[in-house]
Amino acid sequence: MGIPIYLPIAPRKGTGIVHDEPGYTSRTEFAFGDTVTVSLWPLDTGVLHAYT
């Protein structure tokens, strides 16, 4: 579909994955509280809350 960045988040686990690069060849796993780079932008995941 041509979506350049895919950012699935699992709020029950408090984790997520950044898929980018052509064909999602790059994969960066993170836990809530980490700062990850999404394309050109840093994303502070400390503002995300896991389900309790």
Side-chain angles (χ1 to χ4, degrees), residues 12-52:
R12 295 190 194 283
K13 295 181 179 180
T15 62
I17 303 170
V18 178
H19 294 279
D20 58 4
E21 302 295 326
Y24 305 134
T25 57
S26 176
R27 174 186 174 125
T28 305
E29 296 183 22
F30 64 89
F32 288 9
D34 294 346
T35 298
V36 293
T37 302
V38 180
S39 187
L40 302 174
W41 304 278
L43 175 63
D44 177 11
T45 63
V47 300
L48 302 175
H49 299 283
Y51 291 164
T52 55

